[in-house]
Amino acid sequence: MSNAHGDIAAQKRQAGEAALRYVEDGAIVGVGTGSTVAFFIDALAGVKDRIKGAVSSSEQSTAQLKKHGIEVLDLNGAGPLAIYIDGADECDPHKRLIKGGGAALTREKIVAAAAAKFVCIIDASKQVDVLGRFPLPIEVIPMARSLVSREIVKLGGQPVWRDGVVTDNGNWIIDVHGWRIADPVALERELNQLAGVVTVGLFAQRPADVVLVGDREV
Ligand code: 5RP
């Protein structure tokens, strides 16, 4: 698919393949979720004999890794990871991200936190000056959906329940529209305090370290 940003699918593939440059021999690789990461997993299969295995952020990525014969390890036994590769829904000039379009944000945030280096792989349509055009996903404990939604309205957002979606952790997603997120670190901290919030799809306190737009590091 092409738009004002060029051939999106081609850029996703280029980014997924270019991320291999950051995978060192013997590494346990943290693996994100999404269509861009799917290209990375396909590329990783080509070098599977020189890595120790992968820690996955979703059932979807686990299935694809296993299909390729890549060993999937439990994070508890893997120790600190050298690298985490994942996509994003939006990326600002400070490498702060919105993630969670694929509802995998909680495990993604955990695996990112365990990794020394986070390489984010995107196409040019994901680049923004200020985060918030993409609705901000928030994973909530199901019984807290209305409570959290009321708090979001007080903060000026428009919460929309992603009805029918259950995360890998058995929780629900609220997508918040209408926020121009000038200070993502502060908003991430504030939303993390709300009772019932499991994970906020802002990756600002721990942003990416490297961003690849197609095969170009920015
Ligand atoms: C999943 C995510 C994905 O990284 C994000 O949605 C980008 O996906 P894609 O590579 O398919 O555009 O955060 O929870």
Side-chain angles (χ1 to χ4, degrees):
M1 186 184 73
S2 288
N3 67 11
H5 302 284
D7 186 335
I8 301 297
Q11 290 176 27
K12 287 182 184 218
R13 177 186 293 278
Q14 285 167 354
E17 292 175 352
L20 271 192
R21 295 201 295 257
Y22 300 84
V23 175
E24 294 184 353
D25 287 358
I28 299 175
V29 183
V31 176
T33 300
S35 57
T36 315
V37 165
F39 287 119
F40 170 67
I41 296 173
D42 286 344
L44 191 65
V47 300
K48 67 179 177 189
D49 293 336
R50 66 170 181 84
I51 62 166
K52 265 201 203 123
V55 170
S56 172
S57 62
S58 65
E59 301 302 328
Q60 181 188 318
S61 291
T62 296
Q64 192 185 352
L65 287 159
K66 287 185 171 168
K67 193 185 80 181
H68 283 303
I70 298 170
E71 189 176 0
V72 178
L73 304 162
D74 187 320
L75 180 63
N76 288 312
L81 305 175
I83 188 124
Y84 178 59
I85 313 279
D86 197 1
D89 299 300
E90 273 188 358
C91 177
D92 81 3
H94 304 283
K95 302 183 175 65
R96 301 175 300 198
L97 313 170
I98 286 181
K99 291 188 44 56
L105 61 166
T106 295
R107 296 187 191 184
E108 291 174 340
K109 201 173 256 196
I110 293 168
V111 185
K117 184 182 272 189
F118 177 179
V119 177
C120 182
I121 51 177
I122 56 172
D123 61 79
S125 71
K126 308 289 182 65
Q127 290 181 290
V128 296
D129 288 331
V130 178
L131 299 173
R133 195 178 56 202
F134 190 91
L136 176 66
I138 300 179
E139 181 166 347
V140 298
I141 298 289
M143 71 174 287
R145 173 175 65 87
S146 297
L147 171 69
V148 172
S149 295
R150 287 195 294 275
E151 294 303 317
I152 285 167
V153 169
K154 285 184 207 160
L155 294 170
Q158 296 143 29
V160 177
W161 177 26
R162 210 183 291 179
D163 196 1
V165 172
V166 178
T167 70
D168 286 347
N169 315 301
N171 297 317
W172 291 351
I173 300 282
I174 294 168
D175 294 304
V176 185
H177 297 246
W179 267 339
R180 187 179 183 278
I181 306 173
D183 188 345
V185 173
L187 185 63
E188 184 178 4
R189 196 180 297 124
E190 184 167 16
L191 294 171
N192 276 335
Q193 306 302 320
L194 298 177
V197 166
V198 176
T199 300
V200 179
L202 280 170
F203 286 53
Q205 292 174 318
R206 198 275 184 255
D209 300 301
V210 173
V211 175
L212 288 173
V213 182
D215 59 7
R216 186 173 49 94
E217 187 175 327
V218 296

